[in-house]
């Protein structure tokens, strides 16, 4: 820029530069701030993204810890739990038995349970489902000839009739092997 030395001398040059700088600042504000401010906004945005990512990772870790604790509690591996959850999701059943959101069994399924008289396993040729006590109340079956209710699972688990009816009003699964009975929605 050629410098004109007029009546103002060098002072005029500085005034012109200051005016040009002012115009650049004005244009920068119109675009969203100065370069320094835009950099600061970009850094804040990056910080917010990092915080969001960190929170997402924390949630995933909490979920995995919950699955691990559930696996320990149930005595199975995490892969089994994940497979069951994926199967429920794929089937659309959404029973949610694994996480305590149990669905009661249908009244028709409960009414249709087999009843038989209990016989101790020591009697030759008889099978009592492998145990001499109800797995719900932990009380033994009193004597041969006592009526027990048999679940339709492959193990044919036996329970006191009152115990299993109360259980099935809260959950549609066998208390021992998680075999599922039909729910109210399944009957329709």
């Amino acid at each position: 820029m050629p410098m004109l030395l007029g009546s103002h001398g060098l002072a005029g040059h500085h005034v012109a530069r200051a005016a040009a700088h002012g115009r650049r600042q004005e244009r920068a504000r119109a675009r969203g701030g100065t370069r320094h401010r835009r950099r600061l906004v970009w850094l804040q945005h990056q910080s917010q993204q990092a915080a969001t990512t960190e929170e997402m990772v924390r949630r995933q870790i909490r979920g995995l810890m919950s699955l691990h604790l559930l696996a320990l509690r149930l005595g199975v591996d995490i892969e089994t739990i994940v497979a069951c959850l994926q199967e429920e999701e794929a089937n659309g059943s959404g029973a949610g038995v694994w996480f305590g959101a149990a669905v009661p069994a249908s009244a028709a399924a409960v009414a249709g349970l087999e009843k038989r008289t209990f016989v101790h396993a020591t009697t030759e040729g008889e099978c009592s489902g492998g145990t001499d006590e109800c797995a719900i109340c932990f009380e033994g079956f009193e004597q041969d000839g006592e009526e027990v209710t048999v679940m339709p699972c492959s193990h044919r688990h036996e329970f006191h009739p009152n115990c299993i009816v109360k259980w099935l009003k809260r959950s549609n699964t066998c208390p021992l092997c998680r075999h599922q009975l039909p729910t109210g929605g399944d009957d329709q």
Side-chain angles (χ1 to χ4, degrees), residues 19-61:
H21 180 69
R23 286 190 300 273
R24 281 194 306 271
Q25 292 268 340
E26 233 5 85
R27 285 193 304 265
R29 276 193 284 279
R31 286 192 316 260
T34 63
R35 187 180 341 179
H36 180 330
R37 175 149 168 62
R38 285 193 309 262
R39 173 83 174 145
L40 183 61
V41 168
W42 182 81
L43 287 172
Q44 288 172 341
H45 177 70
Q46 293 299 320
S47 175
Q48 288 172 349
Q49 280 184 329
T52 303
T53 303
E54 186 176 330
E55 181 58 32
M56 194 168 64
V57 168
R58 281 189 183 143
R59 272 189 254 133
Q60 288 177 345
I61 289 172

Side-chain angles (χ1 to χ4, degrees), residues 14 17 27 52 90 122 126 146 154 176 182 184:
H14 289 291
R17 284 188 66 157
R27 285 193 304 265
T52 303
T122 57
E126 295 291 333
E146 179 181 1
S154 61
L176 294 173

Side-chain angles (χ1 to χ4, degrees), residues 20-187:
H21 180 69
R23 286 190 300 273
R24 281 194 306 271
Q25 292 268 340
E26 233 5 85
R27 285 193 304 265
R29 276 193 284 279
R31 286 192 316 260
T34 63
R35 187 180 341 179
H36 180 330
R37 175 149 168 62
R38 285 193 309 262
R39 173 83 174 145
L40 183 61
V41 168
W42 182 81
L43 287 172
Q44 288 172 341
H45 177 70
Q46 293 299 320
S47 175
Q48 288 172 349
Q49 280 184 329
T52 303
T53 303
E54 186 176 330
E55 181 58 32
M56 194 168 64
V57 168
R58 281 189 183 143
R59 272 189 254 133
Q60 288 177 345
I61 289 172
R62 282 193 299 263
L64 288 172
M65 288 173 59
S66 296
L67 279 177
H68 178 70
L69 292 173
L70 180 63
L72 288 174
R73 175 87 170 130
L74 294 175
V76 297
D77 57 6
I78 291 176
E79 289 80 17
T80 302
I81 294 173
V82 170
C84 288
L85 291 173
Q86 288 173 339
E87 183 180 325
E88 281 183 2
E89 187 176 321
N91 294 340
S93 67
V97 173
W98 292 101
F99 293 104
V103 178
S106 70
V110 174
L113 290 176
E114 176 188 345
K115 300 201 185 335
R116 68 176 172 194
T117 56
F118 176 76
V119 178
H120 284 284
T122 57
T123 307
E124 220 174 285
E126 295 291 333
C127 179
S128 67
T131 184
D132 289 341
E133 68 179 13
C134 175
I136 298 172
C137 68
F138 299 114
E139 291 183 15
F141 297 121
E142 296 297 322
Q143 59 192 355
D144 286 346
E146 179 181 1
E147 183 179 71
V148 294
T149 300
V150 181
M151 286 291 287
C153 54
S154 61
H155 303 288
R156 313 275 300 148
H157 292 124
E158 298 174 338
F159 304 95
H160 289 122
N162 291 338
C163 294
I164 195 64
V165 168
K166 285 180 189 176
W167 178 276
L168 293 173
K169 284 182 180 178
R170 286 179 261 146
S171 173
N172 68 326
T173 62
C174 173
L176 294 173
C177 68
R178 303 284 188 230
H179 173 82
Q180 291 186 356
L181 290 178
T183 62
D186 295 341
D187 292 338

